Amino acid sequence: QVQLVESGGGSVQAGGSLRLSCAGFGYTDWLGCMGWFRQGPGKEREGLAHIRRDGSTKYADSVKGRFTISQDNAQNTLYLQMNSLKPEDTAMYYCAADFEGRCSAIWSSGARYKYWGQGTQVTVSS
C-alpha cells in the first residue's frame, strides 16, 4: 500500500506563492504517476497537474504558466510550486498517485488515481 501526506498549505495574499509537498510512504518505488487536485467550496474536484516517473507533465489550462509540478524520486516527494496566486485558487489541495500499470488510463482518459492524501488547505486573500 501507499500513504500520501500533503503539507505546505496556508494563507497568502493574491500574487503570492506557495509550495506544496506530498510525501509518499510504503510501496512508492512502484508508483508510475502522480497528480495534484483541488476542491474549492461548492465546487467539483479539479485536476491541476500530473507527472509521470519519466518526468513528463501536463497541466490544466487554469494553472498552466503559474503552477509547476515536480518530483524528487529519491525523497519520494511530489511538489507543486504555485505562483501568482489568485483568490479563486482557494481550495483544499490533494495529491494522488498510482502504480505504473494504471498510468496510461489515467493519463489518456482521466481514470481515477487509487491513492490519495488527506489534503492541505490553501487560502488566497485579495
Side-chain angles (χ1 to χ4, degrees):
Q1 297 300 313
V2 173
Q3 296 81 44
L4 302 173
V5 180
E6 302 97 336
S7 62
S11 297
V12 64
Q13 289 190 327
S17 298
L18 282 174
R19 187 176 81 155
L20 305 183
S21 299
C22 172
F25 302 92
Y27 292 106
T28 55
D29 287 349
W30 298 98
L31 294 176
C33 51
M34 300 186 75
W36 285 100
F37 293 74
R38 70 184 177 192
Q39 188 164 16
K43 298 181 181 179
E44 293 186 355
R45 186 179 59 200
E46 176 187 12
L48 304 176
H50 307 268
I51 189 167
R52 297 193 73 158
R53 182 166 285 273
D54 65 5
S56 55
T57 60
K58 65 176 182 177
Y59 295 89
D61 288 343
S62 59
V63 303
K64 197 174 296 183
R66 298 191 299 126
F67 292 8
T68 302
I69 190 170
S70 62
Q71 61 190 356
D72 183 335
N73 291 330
Q75 298 295 325
N76 298 320
T77 303
L78 178 73
Y79 300 100
L80 185 68
Q81 177 67 43
M82 305 187 295
N83 298 328
S84 302
L85 284 162
K86 307 173 182 179
E88 52 263 44
D89 293 319
T90 294
M92 185 71 78
Y93 284 69
Y94 301 90
C95 65
D98 216 317
F99 297 131
E100 179 59 40
R102 285 179 41 81
C103 289
S104 293
I106 292 169
W107 207 257
S108 62
S109 62
R112 179 181 170 88
Y113 286 90
K114 180 174 182 179
Y115 300 104
W116 292 81
Q118 294 299 306
T120 185
Q121 177 69 35
V122 172
T123 302
V124 184
S125 58
S126 57

